[in-house]
Amino acid sequence: MSAVPENELRIAPLPAKVQSIQCRIQQDSRRVPRTLLVSALQRLTSWHQKRESRRVLRNLTDAELLDIGVTRAEANKEASKSFFWD
């Protein structure tokens, strides 16, 4: 009984004197700009969410801060960070 299902292709062994095989895969040049654009949009979205979250945190009342277990000093410290700061 084999662990490889019968309908899957088997990989041929390398000849005795061959230690490795290298192959070069050409990247589709049309995908690179799209990937960069998606990455940039994700980064901008993340920065916007952080900025908005810190704005909301800055405007919470002392009672609301107490509910979430954050002191006013901790809230001010977090809210004073720049939008791109993690």
Side-chain angles (χ1 to χ4, degrees):
M1 185 170 168
S2 173
V4 178
E6 292 301 321
N7 59 352
E8 289 195 26
L9 297 174
R10 295 177 186 257
I11 299 173
L14 293 174
K17 294 183 180 181
V18 177
Q19 293 181 356
S20 68
I21 295 177
Q22 294 180 355
C23 78
R24 188 173 292 204
I25 300 172
Q26 186 173 0
Q27 189 175 17
D28 185 2
S29 60
R30 292 173 292 166
R31 291 184 58 125
V32 174
R34 182 180 176 136
T35 302
L36 291 174
L37 179 61
V38 169
S39 177
L41 287 174
Q42 289 172 340
R43 178 70 52 100
L44 288 172
T45 300
S46 173
W47 285 348
H48 179 70
Q49 289 172 345
K50 288 178 188 178
R51 191 180 108 209
E52 288 300 308
S53 296
R54 289 178 177 139
R55 184 186 59 78
V56 168
L57 183 63
R58 183 177 41 246
N59 294 328
L60 291 178
T61 65
D62 289 335
E64 292 169 330
L65 290 172
L66 183 62
D67 284 345
I68 62 171
V70 176
T71 66
R72 175 60 62 192
E74 292 170 335
N76 288 339
K77 182 178 177 182
E78 183 65 28
S80 67
K81 290 182 180 178
S82 180
F83 65 90
F84 61 87
W85 191 263
D86 285 331

